[in-house]
Amino acid sequence: MFNISFSSLTASEIREAANQKLALNNLSDWERDIWTFTEAFLNKKNNTFSVLTSGSTGKPKLIKLSRKQLEVSAAATINFFNLQKRNSTLLAIPASKIGGKMMIVRSALAQLNLSCVPLSANPFNGIKLNEKFDFAPLTPMQLFNGMSDVSTSKKVENLNTILLGGGEVSNLLFSKVQLLKASVFHSYGMTETASHIALRRLNGKNAQPYFETLSNISIALDERNCLQIEAPQFSKEVIATNDIVKILSPNQFEWIGRFDNTINSGGVKIQSEAVEAKLFNFLKFRFFIAGIKDEALGEKVIIAAERSPMNKSELSKFKALLEQKLSKYEYPKQVVFIHKFRETDTGKVQRSESLLHTVAKLDLK
């Protein structure tokens, strides 16, 4: 772990420290990413910044964002969470991606104290037991692992506000965060909007089942029922997404799932995420629902399981659970076994890529 004190050091001093660090040959990639962007952002001559998209639905692509876009997004977060000078914040997500970059921008603008830890599925391993943080952006996977590990679960209690992003929040994690005193928010956003444009409170008295947009954001649906975003501060054009949503009010929406994950099986449309939600609390291994080509149905529903193949007894119990929880249209025709799901840097499962690494298949009848 190392700290960058934006509250006590000038931009010139931090840039000098960054250049000294970058001159070293023994920096790890995560450290180099942090110092490289910090130095670049504090250099006022730089007005555009290149950022890689997450690659959760395809190959990551490089896009350019302006200094003004980053600062407007950071200011919205600073104001919403009332971040104050000298607040302690945590950077445990990649500075090579928009989430990590924005945490550096927020820290610079609000003069926060930023603690940086190695990238890990459980970043709490790199934090001292009594160390407290006012604000911590994490992926759902990181929070889940931190709460599930008995050696780090108490460290999670030292966070005041948690901002989850970069992935979906499972039913199991949702139930876990109800036990936290920290305020936990789930963010909706993308690289193109320089981080989140909407937030959902997951726990406490003000918990809500929907996302609420930040100021100066307009939302609408396209012909696929996918979210369209008008955010003049980020883009002159309407930003199209592949997220199927239900709009509840001019600034509130419920996330349904990805258009990419809609399965058309014999003319019946099935949303993968809706089926997964019915099973999350009952399966002890990671899984996802997908559709693959089928001559008769066009697409057939399958379930991918991150585990070794089941024996006869396990398969019998598994089929009984599926029959109990799912409709006949949702019931998978096949289960495929994958040793390890492929993921992006932020922990999003790459479904198509993962299916290429299937080790066994069993028909479910």
Side-chain angles (χ1 to χ4, degrees):
M1 174 191 280
F2 65 89
N3 301 296
I4 306 177
S5 180
F6 289 93
S7 66
S8 61
L9 299 175
T10 65
S12 296
E13 289 172 329
I14 295 174
R15 284 187 65 199
E16 183 180 352
N19 284 316
Q20 290 175 355
K21 293 289 185 181
L22 292 170
L24 302 174
N25 295 321
N26 61 347
L27 275 187
S28 58
D29 288 343
W30 69 274
E31 292 174 297
R32 188 169 296 279
D33 288 338
I34 292 170
W35 288 117
T36 298
F37 181 74
T38 299
E39 198 285 328
F41 181 75
L42 294 179
N43 184 347
K44 295 298 183 181
K45 293 180 180 179
N46 295 326
N47 289 312
T48 59
F49 303 89
S50 298
V51 191
L52 269 178
T53 59
S54 68
S56 58
T57 59
K59 191 175 181 180
K61 59 182 179 180
L62 198 64
I63 66 169
K64 291 186 180 295
L65 295 173
S66 70
R67 174 179 293 275
K68 183 179 179 181
Q69 287 174 311
L70 299 185
E71 290 180 346
V72 167
S73 173
T77 304
I78 291 167
N79 292 334
F80 183 91
F81 290 106
N82 193 29
L83 298 178
Q84 302 290 319
K85 183 178 179 179
R86 297 188 184 89
N87 276 173
S88 57
T89 59
L90 179 68
L91 179 57
I93 54 180
S96 59
K97 300 294 174 64
I98 191 62
K101 292 182 191 299
M102 287 309 305
M103 198 58 241
I104 294 170
V105 176
R106 294 166 195 145
S107 298
L109 295 187
Q111 295 182 281
L112 308 174
N113 293 325
L114 185 66
S115 295
C116 309
V117 296
L119 299 179
S120 169
N122 184 356
F124 296 95
N125 286 319
I127 297 172
K128 295 177 181 178
L129 183 61
N130 60 348
E131 196 149 15
K132 298 181 183 296
F133 295 96
D134 296 300
F135 186 74
L138 298 167
T139 67
M141 175 185 68
Q142 287 176 320
L143 180 58
F144 180 84
N145 289 339
M147 295 184 71
S148 301
D149 188 333
V150 292
S151 67
T152 60
S153 58
K154 287 189 177 180
K155 297 179 183 180
V156 180
E157 296 174 6
N158 291 330
L159 306 181
N160 187 48
T161 300
I162 300 170
L163 178 62
L164 296 177
E168 301 165 25
V169 174
S170 69
N171 286 0
L172 184 56
L173 177 56
F174 180 79
S175 64
K176 278 180 171 287
V177 301
Q178 306 311 310
L179 304 175
L180 291 178
K181 292 181 180 179
S183 301
V184 184
F185 292 82
H186 189 202
S187 65
Y188 176 89
M190 58 206 70
T191 307
E192 290 83 350
T193 58
S195 192
H196 53 266
I197 57 97
L199 294 166
R200 174 191 172 199
R201 177 72 184 265
L202 297 182
N203 65 345
K205 294 180 181 179
N206 298 318
Q208 54 197 38
Y210 50 79
F211 286 96
E212 190 162 335
T213 62
L214 302 180
S215 58
N216 300 318
I217 303 288
S218 298
I219 54 176
L221 294 178
D222 66 12
E223 67 280 358
R224 304 169 301 161
N225 288 322
C226 288
L227 185 67
Q228 290 183 320
I229 303 166
E230 287 189 48
Q233 64 270 46
F234 299 119
S235 175
K236 295 179 181 179
E237 301 178 354
V238 173
I239 299 171
T241 77
N242 283 328
D243 291 302
I244 299 172
V245 304
K246 180 180 179 181
I247 293 182
L248 306 174
S249 78
N251 68 331
Q252 296 172 340
F253 64 90
E254 180 185 352
W255 185 82
I256 306 299
R258 295 281 298 179
F259 183 78
D260 324 59
N261 297 334
T262 301
I263 304 165
N264 191 332
S265 184
V268 177
K269 290 186 178 180
I270 300 152
Q271 193 62 42
S272 296
E273 292 88 350
V275 181
E276 291 162 1
K278 294 182 178 183
L279 300 174
F280 267 130
N281 292 336
F282 305 99
L283 297 179
K284 295 182 180 180
F285 50 83
R286 289 210 300 172
F287 70 95
F288 61 82
I289 298 293
I292 61 173
K293 289 184 179 180
D294 182 82
E295 289 186 8
L297 298 170
E299 285 185 295
K300 68 179 179 182
V301 180
I302 67 164
I303 182 168
E306 188 183 52
R307 55 157 293 161
S308 58
M310 298 175 182
N311 58 38
K312 286 185 178 181
S313 175
E314 290 173 324
L315 183 61
S316 178
K317 293 177 182 178
F318 181 59
K319 288 166 66 174
L321 174 67
L322 296 180
E323 289 170 357
Q324 180 185 2
K325 299 299 178 183
L326 305 179
S327 72
K328 65 177 182 179
Y329 297 111
E330 296 168 333
Y331 186 86
K333 301 293 188 291
Q334 191 177 68
V335 55
V336 302
F337 300 98
I338 301 168
H339 287 317
K340 179 67 177 174
F341 289 163
R342 270 45 184 181
E343 299 174 342
T344 66
D345 290 341
T346 58
K348 290 182 182 177
V349 173
Q350 296 173 303
R351 298 180 183 225
S352 297
E353 178 68 19
S354 295
L355 289 174
L356 296 177
H357 298 273
T358 297
V359 296
K361 304 176 182 179
L362 287 174
D363 288 334
L364 299 172
K365 297 179 181 179

